[in-house]
Amino acid sequence: MAPKRITSPVPDTWYPSLAVTMLAIGLVVTASFFIYEATSSRRNRSLAKELVTGALASFFLGFGSLFLLLASGVYV
């Protein structure tokens, strides 16, 4: 019985566009996080909003970096 070849669930041709899109979304969410932190007072800040915004930025920047590495030929 021959082993099955491991394939990506995402086509290779989508890597560059996914990288650009996810990194752009991650940078916009990160910028909104910094703007929120700089413009809101300490009394008006919401921990839940900060955690959700940070998690979203982390998700998009993490997967955007992964697809950027895959698009450039570094298979991780």
Side-chain angles (χ1 to χ4, degrees):
M1 189 163 132
K4 292 183 180 180
R5 185 173 178 220
I6 298 174
T7 59
S8 172
V10 178
D12 294 350
T13 55
W14 290 9
Y15 291 166
S17 58
L18 279 172
V20 169
T21 304
M22 293 187 119
L23 286 172
I25 292 171
L27 289 174
V28 167
V29 175
T30 302
S32 71
F33 178 79
F34 283 123
I35 290 170
Y36 175 75
E37 289 295 321
T39 58
S40 64
S41 66
R42 288 189 181 262
R43 292 185 200 123
N44 295 336
R45 289 185 186 160
S46 168
L47 179 63
K49 183 173 181 174
E50 290 178 11
L51 289 175
V52 168
T53 307
L56 274 175
S58 176
F59 174 81
F60 282 111
L61 289 175
F63 276 102
S65 300
L66 171 70
F67 284 116
L68 181 65
L69 287 170
L70 291 174
S72 63
V74 179
Y75 294 103
V76 291

